[in-house]
Amino acid sequence: MRLSPTVQTLKPSATIAAAAKAKELAAQGVNVYEFTLGEPDFITPVHIREAAKEAMDAGHTHYTPSSGIPALKQAICAAAKRDHGLEYEPSQVVVSNGAKHSIHNVLTALCGPGDEVIISTPYWVSYSALVELTGATPVLVETTLESGFCLQPDQFAAAVTPNTRLLMLNNPCNPTGAAYPVETLEGLAAVAVEKGIPVLSDEIYEKLIYEGSEFRSFASLSPEAKDLTIIVSGVSKAYAMTGWRIGWTLAPPDLTKAMDKLQSQQTSNPCSVSQHAAVTALNGPQECVTEMLTEFRTRRKYVLSRLKEIPGLRFADPGGAFYAFFNVSEYFGKPLGENAVVVNNSSDFCTALLEDAHVALVTGDAFGAPGYVRLSFATSMDILESGLDRLAKFLNP
Ligand code: PMP
Ligand code: GLU
């Protein structure tokens, strides 16, 4: 069949593709050390699973309002108030099938051909692809290891043109783990307000913050910043609920109405049972979040100490999320692993590492950062220990 130009040029998600490749090898009986997908290895906490079972038994198995059930919208507003001091009304919430869907809704509601969307590199794989789906153009602005991979206010200001429709900000950031200092956020907000540019603030990793870093929601910087902010968040990462597919936006009412209309035509509503589970995640005890964070903290410390022992790797310590993002270009052009493979870019590096050492990482090329690779430490200590042993040996055989 003849495919539309839109899908012909659309790239598949590189993170999902890398995970699929690792699973394919594992299905052949190979013991693969898997660090590709950014998803917590924990099963969803038991009280949330119980809430889902109760919801099913109570008959919550029907269509829901397209933008989500009132109880979940209220829980999302209450969490925004509790965690960030933010006042939102349920009429400012759209619940979607995961935060990825929320981002798609925002972009579809705001952007079209001729528009520009500013994205700082390294960026999460789906950002540029979702912008391109709307016909708008991603304007990539490079951040550096030296600036901790944080977009600087002057860079933002310089990238704005009359066609700029949106800044996409991800704090803490996937893939770099960068957690923005409050002063940098304030500087970015000042530019956004001065130039009247809306900001999609993807705060899905808001609960995963480590020592020495802090989290500030972009909407909490000033009332003027809040009016321009679209917060994207969800339960996937903080509550280990990736498979339930619940994300949301907190946005000005007019944009919220537009996204509700869009969603009513696209998907009717997010899964009813998952919505009830998400209510319990947000309103229930929060110890599960702290427990998982404690585990991530231990793993992060271990991974960073191991990476620091390997000569030539360059990286910034991640302040949030669960990724280590490091530069391996020092190893290009040198014989690597048992088979003395020579590679000259991150994609070939990841392929060789998987084939030779059975360690699966995601290439930085997918995030607009050649020379880098991403390791997700949302996996067990056992796998991290063996996988890092194998990475170290592959690099210095
Ligand atoms: N934003 C970022 C930065 C992410 O890493 C992810 C990863 N899944 C998402 C959004 C999408 O999350 P969800 O699983 O809720 O769609
Ligand atoms: N966001 C996760 C990641 O970056 C999940 C995969 C995806 O949705 O692309 O690995």
Side-chain angles (χ1 to χ4, degrees):
M1 276 183 207
R2 201 186 66 191
L3 300 175
S4 72
T6 311
V7 287
Q8 281 188 47
T9 50
L10 182 69
K11 291 184 272 315
S13 162
T15 43
I16 292 175
K21 203 168 156 190
K23 281 199 182 80
E24 220 176 87
L25 198 61
Q28 292 164 21
V30 176
N31 195 4
V32 177
Y33 299 85
E34 233 284 52
F35 306 109
T36 54
L37 263 197
E39 83 169 329
D41 52 326
F42 310 110
I43 185 171
T44 304
V46 62
H47 66 285
I48 302 174
R49 285 183 272 139
E50 287 304 325
K53 290 177 199 163
E54 280 164 27
M56 279 191 277
D57 291 342
H60 294 303
T61 53
H62 302 274
Y63 290 133
T64 74
S66 55
S67 56
I69 56 174
L72 181 52
K73 291 184 182 180
Q74 270 150 20
I76 290 164
C77 293
K81 173 89 179 139
R82 174 189 69 203
D83 299 340
H84 311 302
L86 287 167
E87 299 281 354
Y88 279 100
E89 297 296 325
S91 59
Q92 295 179 274
V93 182
V94 176
V95 182
S96 302
N97 299 287
K100 191 186 273 185
H101 183 207
S102 303
I103 295 169
H104 185 52
N105 281 346
V106 176
L107 293 170
T108 308
L110 288 182
C111 307
D115 292 335
E116 294 175 356
V117 177
I118 300 174
I119 304 175
S120 64
T121 67
Y123 58 87
W124 179 44
V125 274
S126 296
Y127 282 9
S128 57
L130 291 175
V131 169
E132 281 164 4
L133 266 186
T134 70
T137 307
V139 173
L140 303 180
V141 180
E142 192 180 334
T143 68
T144 58
L145 185 76
E146 292 68 37
S147 68
F149 294 118
C150 290
L151 178 71
Q152 299 304 304
D154 57 338
Q155 289 184 293
F156 173 28
V160 172
T161 75
N163 297 327
T164 306
R165 292 290 291 133
L166 188 71
L167 167 69
M168 291 178 82
L169 195 69
N170 182 203
N171 177 34
C173 176
N174 173 9
T176 62
Y180 273 72
V182 175
E183 314 82 73
T184 312
L185 291 176
E186 284 169 347
L188 292 171
V191 176
V193 170
E194 189 203 318
K195 298 187 180 282
I197 308 291
V199 178
L200 184 164
S201 185
D202 179 349
E203 304 181 354
I204 187 108
Y205 296 99
E206 63 182 270
K207 299 255 178 355
L208 305 179
I209 297 284
Y210 305 105
E211 297 72 32
S213 296
E214 59 184 325
F215 175 76
R216 239 337 245 288
S217 176
F218 203 80
S220 73
L221 295 167
S222 70
E224 296 76 22
K226 185 175 175 232
D227 288 345
L228 286 169
T229 304
I230 304 122
I231 296 179
V232 170
S233 196
V235 288
S236 296
K237 314 291 172 170
Y239 299 95
M241 291 178 70
T242 45
W244 301 76
R245 310 309 302 132
I246 294 291
W248 56 78
T249 46
L250 286 162
D254 51 345
L255 174 59
T256 300
K257 254 198 210 123
M259 293 191 291
D260 187 1
K261 178 172 68 172
L262 184 64
Q263 193 159 286
S264 76
Q265 292 290 15
Q266 269 177 340
T267 64
S268 297
N269 61 265
C271 167
S272 58
V273 175
S274 296
Q275 290 188 66
H276 284 275
V279 171
T280 298
L282 293 174
N283 288 348
Q286 299 297 301
E287 284 78 16
C288 56
V289 177
T290 328
E291 279 161 24
M292 289 189 271
L293 179 61
T294 304
E295 191 57 42
F296 287 136
R297 193 177 282 139
T298 309
R299 297 169 183 184
R300 168 184 177 272
K301 205 168 153 201
Y302 175 75
V303 169
L304 295 182
S305 72
R306 291 295 308 269
L307 293 179
K308 277 175 190 151
E309 283 167 14
I310 301 175
L313 298 184
R314 287 184 295 120
F315 56 94
D317 288 4
F322 36 56
Y323 307 104
F325 195 64
F326 48 98
N327 190 303
V328 292
S329 58
E330 194 75 9
Y331 288 90
F332 294 168
K334 295 179 183 161
L336 300 174
E338 275 180 14
N339 300 320
V341 194
V342 176
V343 299
N344 290 304
N345 61 59
S346 300
S347 298
D348 290 348
F349 178 92
C350 288
T351 304
L353 179 66
L354 181 61
E355 285 170 1
D356 192 290
H358 306 152
V359 172
L361 305 180
V362 185
T363 171
D365 296 326
F367 307 103
Y372 284 84
V373 293
R374 187 189 80 173
L375 178 152
S376 162
F377 54 83
T379 190
S380 75
M381 276 301 276
D382 280 0
I383 297 176
L384 284 169
E385 282 167 17
S386 310
L388 285 159
D389 285 348
R390 295 174 80 91
L391 172 68
K393 199 154 163 251
F394 174 77
L395 292 174
N396 295 291

